[in-house]
Short mmCIF file of all heavy atoms in Angstrom, two decimals:
data_model
loop_
_atom_site.label_atom_id
_atom_site.label_comp_id
_atom_site.label_asym_id
_atom_site.label_seq_id
_atom_site.Cartn_x
_atom_site.Cartn_y
_atom_site.Cartn_z
N LYS A 104 -11.78 20.28 -5.75
CA LYS A 104 -10.84 20.77 -4.73
C LYS A 104 -11.48 20.97 -3.35
O LYS A 104 -10.89 20.60 -2.33
CB LYS A 104 -10.17 22.06 -5.19
CG LYS A 104 -9.10 21.80 -6.23
CD LYS A 104 -8.45 23.06 -6.72
CE LYS A 104 -7.45 22.72 -7.82
NZ LYS A 104 -6.85 23.91 -8.40
N LYS A 105 -12.67 21.51 -3.29
CA LYS A 105 -13.31 21.76 -1.99
C LYS A 105 -13.60 20.45 -1.27
O LYS A 105 -13.23 20.29 -0.10
CB LYS A 105 -14.57 22.60 -2.16
CG LYS A 105 -15.16 23.06 -0.86
CD LYS A 105 -16.32 24.01 -1.07
CE LYS A 105 -16.87 24.49 0.26
NZ LYS A 105 -17.99 25.40 0.07
N PRO A 106 -14.25 19.45 -1.94
CA PRO A 106 -14.45 18.17 -1.24
C PRO A 106 -13.12 17.49 -0.88
O PRO A 106 -13.02 16.84 0.16
CB PRO A 106 -15.25 17.32 -2.22
CG PRO A 106 -15.65 18.18 -3.34
CD PRO A 106 -14.93 19.48 -3.22
N ALA A 107 -12.10 17.65 -1.72
CA ALA A 107 -10.80 17.04 -1.44
C ALA A 107 -10.19 17.62 -0.17
O ALA A 107 -9.68 16.87 0.68
CB ALA A 107 -9.86 17.24 -2.63
N ARG A 108 -10.26 18.92 -0.01
CA ARG A 108 -9.72 19.56 1.21
C ARG A 108 -10.48 19.08 2.45
O ARG A 108 -9.89 18.82 3.49
CB ARG A 108 -9.78 21.08 1.08
CG ARG A 108 -8.71 21.66 0.18
CD ARG A 108 -8.64 23.17 0.29
NE ARG A 108 -9.85 23.83 -0.14
CZ ARG A 108 -10.07 24.28 -1.39
NH1 ARG A 108 -9.14 24.14 -2.31
NH2 ARG A 108 -11.19 24.88 -1.69
N PHE A 109 -11.81 18.96 2.31
CA PHE A 109 -12.63 18.48 3.42
C PHE A 109 -12.22 17.06 3.81
O PHE A 109 -12.02 16.75 4.99
CB PHE A 109 -14.11 18.53 3.05
CG PHE A 109 -15.00 17.88 4.06
CD1 PHE A 109 -15.26 18.50 5.28
CD2 PHE A 109 -15.58 16.64 3.80
CE1 PHE A 109 -16.07 17.89 6.22
CE2 PHE A 109 -16.39 16.03 4.74
CZ PHE A 109 -16.64 16.65 5.95
N LEU A 110 -12.07 16.18 2.82
CA LEU A 110 -11.69 14.79 3.09
C LEU A 110 -10.30 14.72 3.73
O LEU A 110 -10.08 13.93 4.65
CB LEU A 110 -11.72 13.97 1.81
CG LEU A 110 -13.12 13.66 1.26
CD1 LEU A 110 -13.03 13.01 -0.11
CD2 LEU A 110 -13.90 12.78 2.23
N ASP A 111 -9.39 15.53 3.24
CA ASP A 111 -8.04 15.54 3.82
C ASP A 111 -8.07 15.95 5.30
O ASP A 111 -7.29 15.45 6.11
CB ASP A 111 -7.12 16.49 3.05
CG ASP A 111 -6.70 15.92 1.70
OD1 ASP A 111 -6.71 14.68 1.54
OD2 ASP A 111 -6.36 16.72 0.81
N ARG A 112 -8.98 16.86 5.66
CA ARG A 112 -9.06 17.34 7.05
C ARG A 112 -9.63 16.29 8.00
O ARG A 112 -9.23 16.22 9.16
CB ARG A 112 -9.95 18.60 7.13
CG ARG A 112 -9.22 19.88 6.89
CD ARG A 112 -10.02 21.09 7.34
NE ARG A 112 -11.44 21.07 7.03
CZ ARG A 112 -11.97 21.54 5.90
NH1 ARG A 112 -11.20 22.06 4.96
NH2 ARG A 112 -13.25 21.49 5.69
N ILE A 113 -10.58 15.49 7.54
CA ILE A 113 -11.29 14.59 8.46
C ILE A 113 -10.72 13.19 8.54
O ILE A 113 -11.16 12.39 9.35
CB ILE A 113 -12.80 14.51 8.11
CG1 ILE A 113 -13.01 13.87 6.75
CG2 ILE A 113 -13.45 15.87 8.22
CD1 ILE A 113 -14.45 13.50 6.47
N THR A 114 -9.74 12.87 7.73
CA THR A 114 -9.23 11.51 7.72
C THR A 114 -8.20 11.25 8.82
O THR A 114 -7.49 12.16 9.24
CB THR A 114 -8.60 11.18 6.34
OG1 THR A 114 -8.29 9.80 6.33
CG2 THR A 114 -7.36 11.96 6.07
N LYS A 115 -8.19 10.02 9.27
CA LYS A 115 -7.15 9.54 10.18
C LYS A 115 -7.19 8.01 10.15
O LYS A 115 -8.17 7.42 9.68
CB LYS A 115 -7.35 10.07 11.60
CG LYS A 115 -8.64 9.66 12.26
CD LYS A 115 -8.74 10.30 13.62
CE LYS A 115 -10.10 10.00 14.25
NZ LYS A 115 -10.25 10.64 15.54
N GLU A 116 -6.13 7.39 10.62
CA GLU A 116 -6.10 5.93 10.62
C GLU A 116 -7.04 5.42 11.70
O GLU A 116 -6.91 5.75 12.87
CB GLU A 116 -4.67 5.43 10.86
CG GLU A 116 -3.77 5.68 9.68
CD GLU A 116 -2.43 4.97 9.79
OE1 GLU A 116 -2.33 3.97 10.52
OE2 GLU A 116 -1.49 5.44 9.15
N ARG A 117 -8.02 4.62 11.26
CA ARG A 117 -8.96 4.00 12.20
C ARG A 117 -9.57 2.76 11.52
O ARG A 117 -9.55 2.65 10.29
CB ARG A 117 -10.05 4.97 12.64
CG ARG A 117 -10.77 5.64 11.52
CD ARG A 117 -11.64 6.77 11.99
NE ARG A 117 -11.80 7.68 10.86
CZ ARG A 117 -12.23 8.90 10.93
NH1 ARG A 117 -12.57 9.42 12.08
NH2 ARG A 117 -12.34 9.66 9.86
N LEU A 118 -10.08 1.86 12.30
CA LEU A 118 -10.67 0.61 11.82
C LEU A 118 -9.75 -0.05 10.79
O LEU A 118 -10.17 -0.45 9.70
CB LEU A 118 -12.07 0.86 11.21
CG LEU A 118 -13.10 1.49 12.14
CD1 LEU A 118 -14.35 1.87 11.38
CD2 LEU A 118 -13.44 0.57 13.29
N ARG A 119 -8.49 -0.16 11.15
CA ARG A 119 -7.45 -0.63 10.22
C ARG A 119 -7.72 -2.03 9.67
O ARG A 119 -7.27 -2.36 8.58
CB ARG A 119 -6.09 -0.56 10.89
CG ARG A 119 -5.64 0.89 11.12
CD ARG A 119 -4.32 0.93 11.79
NE ARG A 119 -3.35 0.15 11.04
CZ ARG A 119 -2.24 0.63 10.55
NH1 ARG A 119 -1.93 1.87 10.73
NH2 ARG A 119 -1.41 -0.14 9.88
N LEU A 120 -8.43 -2.84 10.40
CA LEU A 120 -8.76 -4.19 9.94
C LEU A 120 -9.42 -4.16 8.56
O LEU A 120 -9.21 -5.04 7.73
CB LEU A 120 -9.68 -4.87 10.96
CG LEU A 120 -10.24 -6.23 10.59
CD1 LEU A 120 -9.11 -7.27 10.63
CD2 LEU A 120 -11.34 -6.65 11.54
N LEU A 121 -10.21 -3.11 8.30
CA LEU A 121 -10.95 -3.01 7.05
C LEU A 121 -10.10 -2.56 5.86
O LEU A 121 -10.57 -2.58 4.73
CB LEU A 121 -12.13 -2.05 7.22
CG LEU A 121 -13.18 -2.48 8.25
CD1 LEU A 121 -14.24 -1.40 8.40
CD2 LEU A 121 -13.79 -3.80 7.87
N VAL A 122 -8.87 -2.13 6.10
CA VAL A 122 -8.02 -1.67 5.00
C VAL A 122 -6.77 -2.53 4.84
O VAL A 122 -5.80 -2.13 4.21
CB VAL A 122 -7.64 -0.18 5.16
CG1 VAL A 122 -8.88 0.70 4.98
CG2 VAL A 122 -6.98 0.11 6.49
N HIS A 123 -6.81 -3.72 5.41
CA HIS A 123 -5.72 -4.68 5.27
C HIS A 123 -6.28 -6.02 4.83
O HIS A 123 -7.47 -6.30 5.01
CB HIS A 123 -4.94 -4.82 6.59
CG HIS A 123 -4.17 -3.58 6.94
ND1 HIS A 123 -3.01 -3.23 6.28
CD2 HIS A 123 -4.40 -2.61 7.85
CE1 HIS A 123 -2.56 -2.09 6.78
NE2 HIS A 123 -3.39 -1.69 7.72
N ARG A 124 -5.40 -6.86 4.28
CA ARG A 124 -5.84 -8.19 3.87
C ARG A 124 -6.29 -8.97 5.09
O ARG A 124 -5.72 -8.79 6.16
CB ARG A 124 -4.69 -8.90 3.15
CG ARG A 124 -4.41 -8.27 1.83
CD ARG A 124 -3.42 -9.07 1.02
NE ARG A 124 -3.30 -8.46 -0.29
CZ ARG A 124 -2.48 -7.45 -0.59
NH1 ARG A 124 -1.69 -6.97 0.32
NH2 ARG A 124 -2.45 -6.96 -1.80
N PRO A 125 -7.30 -9.80 4.97
CA PRO A 125 -7.97 -10.26 3.75
C PRO A 125 -9.12 -9.35 3.30
O PRO A 125 -9.58 -9.44 2.18
CB PRO A 125 -8.51 -11.63 4.14
CG PRO A 125 -8.79 -11.51 5.61
CD PRO A 125 -7.73 -10.58 6.14
N PHE A 126 -9.58 -8.43 4.19
CA PHE A 126 -10.72 -7.59 3.81
C PHE A 126 -10.38 -6.67 2.63
O PHE A 126 -11.25 -6.31 1.85
CB PHE A 126 -11.22 -6.76 4.99
CG PHE A 126 -12.61 -6.26 4.79
CD1 PHE A 126 -13.69 -7.06 5.05
CD2 PHE A 126 -12.84 -4.99 4.29
CE1 PHE A 126 -14.98 -6.63 4.82
CE2 PHE A 126 -14.12 -4.53 4.06
CZ PHE A 126 -15.20 -5.36 4.34
N LEU A 127 -9.13 -6.32 2.49
CA LEU A 127 -8.69 -5.46 1.39
C LEU A 127 -9.03 -6.08 0.04
O LEU A 127 -9.42 -5.38 -0.90
CB LEU A 127 -7.19 -5.21 1.51
CG LEU A 127 -6.55 -4.25 0.51
CD1 LEU A 127 -7.15 -2.86 0.66
CD2 LEU A 127 -5.06 -4.20 0.73
N TRP A 128 -8.91 -7.39 -0.07
CA TRP A 128 -9.25 -8.08 -1.33
C TRP A 128 -10.74 -7.91 -1.66
O TRP A 128 -11.11 -7.75 -2.81
CB TRP A 128 -8.89 -9.56 -1.27
CG TRP A 128 -7.42 -9.83 -1.29
CD1 TRP A 128 -6.47 -9.16 -2.02
CD2 TRP A 128 -6.73 -10.82 -0.55
NE1 TRP A 128 -5.23 -9.69 -1.78
CE2 TRP A 128 -5.35 -10.71 -0.89
CE3 TRP A 128 -7.12 -11.80 0.34
CZ2 TRP A 128 -4.39 -11.55 -0.35
CZ3 TRP A 128 -6.15 -12.63 0.88
CH2 TRP A 128 -4.80 -12.51 0.54
N VAL A 129 -11.58 -7.96 -0.64
CA VAL A 129 -13.02 -7.78 -0.85
C VAL A 129 -13.28 -6.37 -1.39
O VAL A 129 -14.03 -6.18 -2.35
CB VAL A 129 -13.80 -8.02 0.47
CG1 VAL A 129 -15.27 -7.66 0.31
CG2 VAL A 129 -13.62 -9.45 0.94
N THR A 130 -12.64 -5.39 -0.78
CA THR A 130 -12.80 -4.00 -1.21
C THR A 130 -12.35 -3.82 -2.66
O THR A 130 -13.03 -3.18 -3.46
CB THR A 130 -12.00 -3.07 -0.28
OG1 THR A 130 -12.39 -3.31 1.06
CG2 THR A 130 -12.23 -1.63 -0.62
N GLN A 131 -11.20 -4.39 -2.99
CA GLN A 131 -10.68 -4.28 -4.36
C GLN A 131 -11.60 -4.98 -5.36
O GLN A 131 -11.82 -4.48 -6.46
CB GLN A 131 -9.26 -4.84 -4.43
CG GLN A 131 -8.27 -3.99 -3.67
CD GLN A 131 -6.93 -4.67 -3.45
OE1 GLN A 131 -6.77 -5.88 -3.61
NE2 GLN A 131 -5.93 -3.88 -3.05
N LEU A 132 -12.17 -6.12 -4.97
CA LEU A 132 -13.10 -6.83 -5.84
C LEU A 132 -14.37 -6.01 -6.07
O LEU A 132 -14.87 -5.93 -7.20
CB LEU A 132 -13.45 -8.20 -5.25
CG LEU A 132 -14.40 -9.06 -6.06
CD1 LEU A 132 -13.81 -9.39 -7.43
CD2 LEU A 132 -14.74 -10.33 -5.31
N ILE A 133 -14.87 -5.37 -5.03
CA ILE A 133 -16.06 -4.52 -5.18
C ILE A 133 -15.75 -3.36 -6.12
O ILE A 133 -16.57 -3.00 -6.98
CB ILE A 133 -16.56 -4.02 -3.81
CG1 ILE A 133 -17.10 -5.19 -2.99
CG2 ILE A 133 -17.64 -2.95 -3.99
CD1 ILE A 133 -17.40 -4.84 -1.54
#
Side-chain angles (χ1 to χ4, degrees):
K104 284 179 183 176
K105 188 174 182 181
R108 284 191 297 268
F109 172 73
L110 289 172
D111 286 336
R112 273 195 318 271
I113 65 168
T114 188
K115 61 183 175 182
E116 289 191 23
R117 53 191 155 195
L118 301 172
R119 292 179 54 121
L120 175 71
L121 298 176
V122 292
H123 291 286
R124 290 188 175 86
F126 199 82
L127 184 62
W128 289 323
V129 173
T130 306
Q131 292 167 345
L132 180 61
I133 292 170

